[in-house]
Amino acid sequence: MSSAVVETHFPDLKLKNRGKVRDIYDLDNQLLIVTTDRISAFDVIMNDPIPDKGKVLTQISLFWFDVLKEMTPNHLITADVADYPKACMPYADMLRGRSMLVKKAKPLPIECVVRGYLSGSGWKSYQTTGEVCGIPLPPGLVESDRLPRPIFTPSTKEETGHDINIDFEEACQRIGGPLAERIRELSIGIYEKGVEIAAQKGIIIADTKFEFGLIGDDIILIDEVMTPDSSRFWPGESYRPGGGQKSFDKQYLRDYLLSIGWNQQPPPPPLPAHVIENTRNKYLDALRLLAGPKYALD
């Protein structure tokens, strides 16, 4: 398997948006989503990419889109480069394995976060208030505890800086009560299905975030789905509540950056070769365990 970093640059295609990881191109009535090898931590993009990361994220999302298609429609048209519009053909080698042709939808202006375990900002909030996003939790829980039931804890979508956690009432104000209730129901249902499937493969999905869009009045699942970038993936065999957990996600990178005392402000520090390689291996392990040989990288 090649571990070369691919720099994605397509001058003949119309760039619509460049995110921390994904570049989106406007192909008239469709969008082309290209997942790069960029990695961010604490909302800062590192200068050092992680080889094959974009392919891993794409393949895991494709796995979930297929598994979940009976539960909810999604924006995927195809990930087969041979079926892309003619304008994409000069870039076929760069696009293969790390891109998707998708339907255009109107994204909802909230992140749909579901938590099944007490970690991250949820743990910090619980320690202070006994609640997460306005939802009271039982007393006496410890870090990484499994919650009695998954909770829906939406957040804002910020153009810069951190997304901001909001309660369900504010989500209703932003998108309307009936739509917010439907999104909450869908998010928890998809998460529970994902947790069940991942558990059979030795992975705990502690929490995740979904994005939904509207095509007319129809709700569809968009962007990425239950990847190591949008979720906390923990190895089931080493799970022990009462502290932080080993992970298949970029928590390893966050821990390294904390260990060197970086102030979490640009510019990012250079990443040593062993940190890049170990991060890459964690992403590859997640793909191998979760999606299996059908989605393995060439």
Side-chain angles (χ1 to χ4, degrees):
M1 179 195 307
S2 169
S3 61
V5 173
V6 175
E7 294 296 338
T8 55
H9 179 58
F10 313 119
D12 296 331
L13 302 181
K14 181 182 177 183
L15 182 66
K16 178 180 174 67
N17 182 61
R18 176 158 282 153
K20 295 186 183 79
V21 175
R22 285 169 180 78
D23 296 340
I24 302 177
Y25 294 86
D26 192 330
L27 304 180
D28 296 326
N29 61 339
Q30 302 165 332
L31 297 176
L32 178 69
I33 298 181
V34 182
T35 310
T36 73
D37 290 336
R38 297 191 296 266
I39 191 167
S40 68
F42 306 108
D43 290 315
V44 177
I45 300 172
M46 301 293 106
N47 290 329
D48 303 285
I50 305 300
D52 293 320
K53 174 176 174 284
K55 288 187 175 182
V56 168
L57 297 182
T58 298
Q59 297 308 309
I60 288 178
S61 288
L62 291 173
F63 165 77
W64 286 120
F65 281 140
D66 185 49
V67 167
L68 299 168
K69 63 188 177 186
E70 301 303 323
M71 286 189 68
T72 180
N74 60 68
H75 68 168
L76 179 66
I77 297 172
T78 182
D80 186 343
V81 176
D83 295 332
Y84 286 8
K86 192 175 295 184
C88 300
M89 290 304 105
Y91 312 113
D93 288 344
M94 286 185 282
L95 292 171
R96 192 168 289 110
R98 65 170 66 247
S99 65
M100 293 184 282
L101 192 67
V102 303
K103 303 169 188 174
K104 283 187 172 180
K106 180 183 178 182
L108 296 182
I110 61 171
E111 299 273 9
C112 299
V113 181
V114 182
R115 304 174 191 267
Y117 293 75
L118 194 55
S119 187
S121 63
W123 167 238
K124 291 178 183 177
S125 174
Y126 174 78
Q127 289 176 286
T128 304
T129 66
E131 300 180 346
V132 178
C133 293
I135 301 172
L137 295 177
L141 296 178
V142 297
E143 184 178 4
S144 303
D145 252 342
R146 185 167 189 170
L147 301 177
R149 63 187 63 82
I151 58 175
F152 180 69
T153 61
S155 71
T156 63
K157 289 182 181 178
E158 299 298 320
E159 291 296 325
T160 58
H162 296 278
D163 295 337
I164 300 168
N165 292 340
I166 58 176
D167 59 24
F168 185 68
E169 183 177 343
E170 184 166 344
C172 291
Q173 291 173 358
R174 287 175 179 247
I175 65 173
L179 182 56
E181 289 178 7
R182 178 67 180 132
I183 290 299
R184 178 173 62 181
E185 177 187 345
L186 259 179
S187 298
I188 291 175
I190 293 169
Y191 172 75
E192 289 177 330
K193 180 69 171 178
V195 164
E196 178 186 344
I197 291 170
Q200 296 169 2
K201 303 181 180 189
I203 295 175
I204 292 171
I205 303 179
D207 53 43
T208 195
K209 65 179 179 180
F210 302 112
E211 289 203 47
F212 293 94
L214 295 176
I215 298 180
D217 294 329
D218 296 330
I219 302 169
I220 67 168
L221 188 59
I222 64 173
D223 198 53
E224 62 181 327
V225 183
M226 289 184 282
T227 73
D229 268 21
S230 64
S231 320
R232 283 186 174 86
F233 278 19
W234 296 339
E237 62 183 9
S238 62
Y239 170 65
R240 300 288 185 278
Q245 304 295 310
K246 294 180 179 178
S247 71
F248 291 119
D249 53 48
K250 60 182 177 183
Q251 189 61 45
Y252 166 81
L253 174 62
R254 294 191 194 101
D255 291 344
Y256 166 75
L257 294 170
L258 290 171
S259 76
I260 63 172
W262 176 51
N263 65 3
Q264 302 178 26
Q265 299 295 322
L271 301 181
H274 75 276
V275 171
I276 293 173
E277 184 64 16
N278 289 343
T279 302
R280 174 177 181 267
N281 288 338
K282 287 180 178 295
Y283 278 82
L284 290 171
D285 285 345
L287 175 62
R288 175 180 54 80
L289 283 172
L290 185 61
K294 179 180 176 182
Y295 295 92
L297 305 191
D298 295 331

